[in-house]
Amino acid sequence: MSASTRVEIKPGAYKSDLKPVWCPGCGDFGVLNALYRAMANLQIEPWNTVILSGIGCSSRLPGYVHTYGFNGVHGRALTLATGVKMARPELTVIAVGGDGDGLAIGGNHLIHACRRNLDVTYILMDNEIYGLTKGQVAPTTPTGDKTKSTYWGNPEPAVDPCELAISTGATWVGRGFSGDMKGLTELITGAIDHSGFSFLNCMSPCVTWRGDDEFKRLKAMQKPLPEDHDPSRRANAIAYTREKDVLTTGVLYKVEAPTMVDRVEAIKQQAMGGKPAPSTKEILSTFYPKF
Ligand SMILES: Cc1ncc(C[n+]2csc(CCOP(=O)(O)OP(=O)(O)O)c2C)c(N)n1
Ligand code: SF4
């Protein structure tokens, strides 16, 4: 379709027919609405987009967006995203999920997605708790907090997801808050637009298991990055991790680097000595001549 005949896609067009079943007031509504707006900002084509997730309240999100999607198994959002991106590099691939899904059972996959610099956007909806399973401690639960599984207080130190992503090789790392629709929409737009692995840690309160005050508490702590922040320097970005009394939001880190697909394509070219790559049928016929 030529640019002149293309119809503008409005944020509402990305809504699916499925109604979210999140608790009233859940932070995940803010992330979903910001995602609709970001997709409209970029005029993302739903028919060329896949959203992948694991299991958790937040992992229900793919069902609420009018694109291709898959709500997989716990902790495996990024394994699915890796497969889709490597098989169909031309698609927009977005992975979503909770802090339990992405940092506990799926923590290993996050490390490898970062170091590979897959051209995938990963939105971690961080509520500092396991929401779906009713309030157990998560890797981002602050030390000392009482949860359903830590009656005497959480004895473990918490992970800073942005610090982890920066130090393992993500090339775009941001922190947002679902109570800040404008800021979050800008961040999701930038994350999807980035070529390489973009990791957005989005504070997304669980009002049921972390309490009604979470939005107020985080809003009071939120502080945008200073205008002179240089996101190309890793040390600058790391300085805004492990914060206790403030929630600095914005693009902490952003650099350009070859993606996993770029590197694999370069190897293919090298291996083929400039000849075109064989089709799948040609490859299979070398193993099974009758194919
Ligand atoms: C292999 C496996 N282990 C455990 C579970 C149980 N389980 C389902 S969701 C979940 C954690 C949910 O927390 P999080 O990923 O932070 O998402 P939220 O519900 O808070 O959005 C767990 C432990 C599971 N479904 N599969
Ligand atoms: S339990 Fe928490 S995370 Fe899950 S839908 Fe309710 S408020 Fe959201």
Side-chain angles (χ1 to χ4, degrees), residues 22 26 28 55-60 73-76 97-103 105 125-134 136 138-140 206:
W22 292 318
C26 175
D28 296 350
I55 294 289
C57 298
S58 44
S59 290
R60 294 182 188 274
V73 292
H74 195 34
R76 302 298 183 260
D99 40 271
D101 195 79
L103 298 168
I105 192 167
M125 293 144 88
D126 184 355
N127 56 15
E128 304 181 324
I129 201 88
Y130 286 5
L132 186 75
T133 46
K134 302 188 185 304
Q136 297 84 2
T140 51
C206 170

Side-chain angles (χ1 to χ4, degrees), residues 178-247:
S178 63
D180 168 20
M181 185 55 56
K182 185 171 175 291
L184 187 57
T185 302
E186 281 169 16
L187 283 168
I188 299 179
T189 305
I192 299 175
D193 205 30
H194 176 72
S195 169
F197 191 70
S198 47
F199 174 77
L200 178 60
N201 193 62
C202 179
M203 297 308 295
S204 181
C206 170
V207 290
T208 300
W209 302 110
R210 293 285 291 163
D212 284 342
D213 283 349
E214 275 299 277
F215 271 101
K216 251 195 255 162
R217 183 181 73 85
L218 291 169
K219 201 155 193 64
M221 285 167 60
Q222 190 192 4
K223 216 170 154 190
L225 273 167
E227 293 208 343
D228 61 356
H229 172 71
D230 174 2
S232 67
R233 295 198 49 229
R234 189 180 284 225
N236 290 355
I238 293 282
Y240 292 101
T241 59
R242 299 200 188 205
E243 295 173 320
K244 290 239 176 315
D245 303 321
V246 282
L247 176 70

